[in-house]
């Protein structure tokens, strides 16, 4: 069999093959024999069909199966003898039975990236890890938030202050004109409201979630029945493009105030959040925080390792895989945005940004998988039967599907290979983490790679 391979850019290769007439004839006989065994024709017993009858009755099917068998033989030759990392067909350019009986098969295929990586490339990767420790201030801050969650409220004539619930109305002006008249009708409520609505002033050290920047802290010190002019500037990243960069003056009227009455931080408060006493609740918070910090530590290490590997190993990757991964990333970004309350119309303003971010993530993910797979092969990192079973068991539980049925469906969809690959990748990342050169720092800085 004569097979020539021409490497092309973008992880493509052209295969030019000529299969000799003798090989074509042998493979055809094998295909025909299988048809004779399986074909059913009235008047003939299975497996006893005359050769000529089968050739005439199933001519089209035989030729199609013959082409499939020949193309598989060509690919096997290319993969085994010329080390071609075949991923799929891009296009078939020529597929012809010549007059002399030879078979010509020319195609363009998608191939795996070709790159080199050595032990020095992936061992002792420099990583800076920010040290995080649970402090007494963290514990007290958390207890303060718990305290606020169980606050009660009472009407008050005192000036507005942190944690108060305040009923307000407002009207905004810009350049001496009502801002509402300068906006689209659907955005007018952001510039003028006659109806009273409740605003919660955040705690001194807490971040508020204001739709209009600076309004909640701007009314601190205002009594019920009083008004105050508050300068407002909408940032360049404000969710509504029409308001970005705009400066306006908001006249805010305070109609009523409810003061927060905080419960004492004691055993009774601890019991209200499910703990037997305050000391136990403190210890539980510290343990959970330490677990979170350890997770953050691992994430810092892994993110810097992956960033380093991608920076140091730039190579072409199949655009088809990048496209598929980009679609997955877009779906994730949009899903996360919806879960945070964004609307489809809001996302339209960020379409290009979403696609750009998704593409960048996709390229990193695809390239990372190839790098980690190569490292796994060099280090003989593989999955065990027990690890595969544990992964299948957890996935079945997560999807609430009986494990036998879930395993059967995985086999039918060839999903076991995906599980094996994911296990190898996870173990490879753990291996790289164990062999990284880690420096603990007080604040985050760029890794010294």
């Amino acid at each position: 069999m004569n097979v020539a391979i021409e490497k092309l850019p973008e992880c493509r290769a052209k295969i030019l093959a000529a299969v000799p007439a003798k090989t074509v004839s042998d493979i055809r006989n094998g295909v025909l024999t299988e048809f004779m065994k399986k074909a059913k024709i009235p008047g003939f017993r299975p497996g006893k069909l005359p050769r000529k009858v089968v050739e005439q009755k199933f001519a089209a099917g035989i030729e199609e199966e013959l082409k499939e068998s020949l193309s598989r033989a060509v690919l096997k030759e290319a993969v085994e003898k010329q080390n071609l990392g075949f991923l799929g067909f891009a296009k078939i350019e020529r597929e012809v039975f010549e007059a002399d009986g030879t078979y010509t098969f020319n195609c363009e295929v998608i191939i795996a990236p070709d790159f080199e990586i050595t032990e020095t490339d992936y061992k002792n990767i420099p990583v800076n890890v920010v040290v995080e420790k649970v402090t007494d201030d963290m514990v007290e801050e958390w207890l303060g938030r718990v305290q606020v969650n169980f606050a009660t409220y009472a009407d008050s004539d005192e000036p507005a202050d942190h944690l108060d619930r305040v009923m307000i109305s407002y009207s905004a002006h810009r350049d001496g004109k009502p801002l509402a008249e300068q906006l689209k009708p659907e955005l007018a409520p952001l510039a003028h409201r006659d109806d009273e609505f409740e605003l919660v002033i955040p705690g001194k050290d807490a971040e508020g979630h204001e739709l209009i920047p600076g309004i909640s802290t701007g009314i601190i010190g205002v009594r019920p029945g009083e008004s105050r002019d508050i300068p407002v500037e909408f940032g360049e990243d404000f969710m509504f493009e029409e308001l970005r960069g705009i400066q306006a003056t908001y006249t805010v009227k305070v109609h009523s105030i409810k003061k927060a009455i905080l419960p004492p931080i004691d055993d009774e408060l601890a019991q209200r959040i499910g703990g037997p006493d305050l000391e136990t609740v403190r210890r539980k918070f510290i343990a959970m925080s330490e677990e979170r910090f350890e997770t953050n530590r691992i994430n810092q290490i892994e993110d810097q390792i992956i960033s380093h590997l991608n920076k140091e190993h730039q190579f072409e990757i199949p655009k088809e895989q990048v496209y598929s991964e980009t679609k997955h990333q877009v779906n994730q970004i949009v899903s996360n945005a919806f879960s945070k309350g964004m609307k489809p119309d809001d996302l339209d303003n960020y379409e290009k940004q979403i696609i750009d971010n998704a593409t960048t993530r996709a390229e990193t993910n695809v390239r990372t998988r190839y790098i980690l797979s190569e490292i796994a092969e060099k280090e003989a990192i593989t999955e065990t039967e027990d690890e595969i079973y544990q992964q299948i068991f957890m996935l079945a539980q997560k999807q609430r599907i009986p494990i036998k049925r879930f395993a059967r469906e995985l086999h039918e969809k060839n999903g076991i290979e995906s599980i094996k690959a994911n296990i190898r990748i996870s173990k490879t990342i753990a291996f790289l983490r164990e062999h990284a050169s880690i420096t603990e720092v007080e604040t985050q800085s760029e890794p010294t790679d």
Side-chain angles (χ1 to χ4, degrees), residues 103-123:
Y103 172 70
T104 302
F105 182 66
N106 299 343
C107 66
E108 190 175 301
V109 295
I110 306 164
I111 60 174
D114 185 13
F115 65 98
E116 290 291 331
I117 188 166
T118 64
E119 185 176 310
T120 55
D121 294 328
Y122 58 81
K123 284 188 177 180

Side-chain angles (χ1 to χ4, degrees), residues 115 117 309 313 315 367-375:
F115 65 98
I117 188 166
L309 290 172
H313 297 85
F315 49 84
R367 185 175 287 107
T368 299
R369 283 199 290 267
Y370 278 111
I371 293 172
L372 295 179
S373 295
E374 186 69 15
I375 295 172

Side-chain angles (χ1 to χ4, degrees), residues 1-3 15-19 69-79 103 105 107:
M1 188 181 299
N2 184 15
V3 178
I15 298 177
L16 307 173
V19 183
S69 298
L70 289 168
S71 64
R72 286 196 297 270
V74 169
L75 284 174
K76 184 178 180 181
E77 177 91 5
V79 170
Y103 172 70
F105 182 66
C107 66

Side-chain angles (χ1 to χ4, degrees), residues 351-403:
E351 181 178 355
K352 183 179 185 304
Q353 182 180 340
I354 289 172
I355 293 174
D356 288 346
N357 289 344
T359 302
T360 300
R361 289 188 195 179
E363 290 174 348
T364 298
N365 290 351
V366 172
R367 185 175 287 107
T368 299
R369 283 199 290 267
Y370 278 111
I371 293 172
L372 295 179
S373 295
E374 186 69 15
I375 295 172
E377 185 173 342
K378 285 183 175 294
E379 295 294 334
I381 297 172
T382 186
E383 68 287 342
T384 66
E385 290 298 322
D386 185 58
E387 288 169 339
I388 296 170
Y389 174 80
Q390 289 297 329
Q391 188 67 20
I392 293 173
F393 180 76
M394 285 190 296
L395 289 172
Q397 277 195 322
K398 186 177 180 179
Q399 298 184 30
R400 298 182 179 180
I401 299 175
I403 188 167

Side-chain angles (χ1 to χ4, degrees), residues 217-354:
T217 54
I219 60 174
I220 290 176
V222 181
R223 292 179 178 273
E226 295 180 347
S227 297
R228 175 179 288 177
D229 288 343
I230 301 172
V232 169
E233 181 174 354
F234 293 93
E236 294 297 335
D237 59 348
F238 190 67
M239 67 170 61
F240 298 110
E241 186 175 2
E242 190 175 350
L243 282 164
R244 292 175 191 167
I246 283 181
Q247 296 179 346
T249 299
Y250 276 72
T251 301
V252 182
K253 182 174 182 179
V254 174
H255 296 275
S256 63
I257 297 174
K258 289 183 181 293
K259 287 286 179 185
I261 303 172
L262 302 178
I265 299 176
D266 54 16
D267 288 346
E268 184 178 342
L269 179 63
Q271 290 166 10
R272 295 175 73 178
I273 60 174
D277 53 57
L278 186 59
E279 185 56 33
T280 302
V281 166
R282 286 177 185 271
R283 288 199 302 268
K284 185 176 181 181
F285 171 76
I286 291 171
M288 291 175 62
S289 298
E290 288 175 342
E291 184 178 337
R292 185 176 76 253
F293 290 163
E294 178 59 21
T295 299
N296 291 344
R297 181 179 184 277
I298 291 172
N299 289 340
Q300 287 181 62
I301 296 170
E302 292 181 355
D303 288 347
Q304 291 181 53
I305 286 172
I306 290 171
S307 177
H308 174 91
L309 290 172
N310 273 271
K311 181 180 178 181
E312 296 298 319
H313 297 85
Q314 290 291 314
F315 49 84
E316 290 187 330
I317 49 181
K319 60 183 180 182
E320 291 80 6
Q321 291 181 338
V322 173
Y323 177 71
S324 177
E325 179 66 14
T326 298
K327 289 197 296 182
H328 174 69
Q329 291 298 324
V330 167
N331 290 338
Q332 278 199 331
I333 292 171
V334 171
S335 178
N336 289 339
F338 285 159
S339 69
K340 294 177 181 177
M342 292 193 75
K343 304 291 187 243
D345 290 344
D346 299 334
L347 290 175
D348 289 342
N349 297 325
Y350 299 98
E351 181 178 355
K352 183 179 185 304
Q353 182 180 340
I354 289 172

Side-chain angles (χ1 to χ4, degrees), residues 33-316:
T33 299
E34 288 301 311
F35 266 84
M36 292 174 65
K37 290 178 181 178
K38 299 176 182 179
K40 295 181 180 180
I41 299 177
F44 295 95
R45 287 184 297 168
K48 301 296 183 179
L49 299 174
R51 181 186 180 94
K52 288 187 177 180
V53 172
V54 173
E55 286 180 317
Q56 292 175 356
K57 185 73 174 179
F58 301 100
I62 291 170
E63 180 167 332
E64 189 64 29
E65 181 61 33
L66 176 58
K67 287 181 178 179
E68 288 286 335
S69 298
L70 289 168
S71 64
R72 286 196 297 270
V74 169
L75 284 174
K76 184 178 180 181
E77 177 91 5
V79 170
E80 293 182 355
K81 294 188 178 180
Q82 303 199 37
N83 197 29
L84 182 71
F86 174 77
L87 297 177
F89 285 106
K91 58 182 176 180
I92 296 175
E93 298 173 341
R94 182 176 175 81
E95 191 177 22
V96 177
F97 291 102
E98 307 291 354
D100 62 357
T102 61
Y103 172 70
T104 302
F105 182 66
N106 299 343
C107 66
E108 190 175 301
V109 295
I110 306 164
I111 60 174
D114 185 13
F115 65 98
E116 290 291 331
I117 188 166
T118 64
E119 185 176 310
T120 55
D121 294 328
Y122 58 81
K123 284 188 177 180
N124 297 312
I125 293 175
V127 172
N128 289 337
V129 178
V130 177
V131 178
E132 294 181 290
K133 296 179 180 178
V134 185
T135 64
D136 291 340
D137 286 344
M138 290 180 186
V139 178
E140 295 308 313
E141 183 182 337
W142 173 72
L143 287 172
R145 292 197 298 271
V146 173
Q147 189 183 30
V148 171
N149 290 339
F150 287 94
T152 56
Y153 293 85
D155 292 332
S156 173
D157 292 327
E158 295 296 316
D161 203 351
H162 295 285
L163 302 180
D164 290 350
R165 295 180 180 272
V166 185
M167 298 299 294
I168 68 168
S169 60
Y170 59 79
S171 182
H173 288 76
R174 178 175 177 244
D175 299 330
K177 298 179 181 179
L179 179 59
E181 296 177 2
Q182 303 173 46
L183 302 176
K184 296 176 182 177
E186 57 267 27
L187 296 181
L190 290 175
H192 183 88
R193 284 193 67 161
D194 285 328
D195 58 314
E196 299 177 23
F197 75 99
E198 185 178 74
L199 183 69
V200 179
I201 303 177
K204 291 182 181 180
D205 299 321
E207 292 186 7
H209 300 283
E210 300 177 300
L211 186 57
I212 301 171
I215 285 290
S216 61
T217 54
I219 60 174
I220 290 176
V222 181
R223 292 179 178 273
E226 295 180 347
S227 297
R228 175 179 288 177
D229 288 343
I230 301 172
V232 169
E233 181 174 354
F234 293 93
E236 294 297 335
D237 59 348
F238 190 67
M239 67 170 61
F240 298 110
E241 186 175 2
E242 190 175 350
L243 282 164
R244 292 175 191 167
I246 283 181
Q247 296 179 346
T249 299
Y250 276 72
T251 301
V252 182
K253 182 174 182 179
V254 174
H255 296 275
S256 63
I257 297 174
K258 289 183 181 293
K259 287 286 179 185
I261 303 172
L262 302 178
I265 299 176
D266 54 16
D267 288 346
E268 184 178 342
L269 179 63
Q271 290 166 10
R272 295 175 73 178
I273 60 174
D277 53 57
L278 186 59
E279 185 56 33
T280 302
V281 166
R282 286 177 185 271
R283 288 199 302 268
K284 185 176 181 181
F285 171 76
I286 291 171
M288 291 175 62
S289 298
E290 288 175 342
E291 184 178 337
R292 185 176 76 253
F293 290 163
E294 178 59 21
T295 299
N296 291 344
R297 181 179 184 277
I298 291 172
N299 289 340
Q300 287 181 62
I301 296 170
E302 292 181 355
D303 288 347
Q304 291 181 53
I305 286 172
I306 290 171
S307 177
H308 174 91
L309 290 172
N310 273 271
K311 181 180 178 181
E312 296 298 319
H313 297 85
Q314 290 291 314
F315 49 84
E316 290 187 330

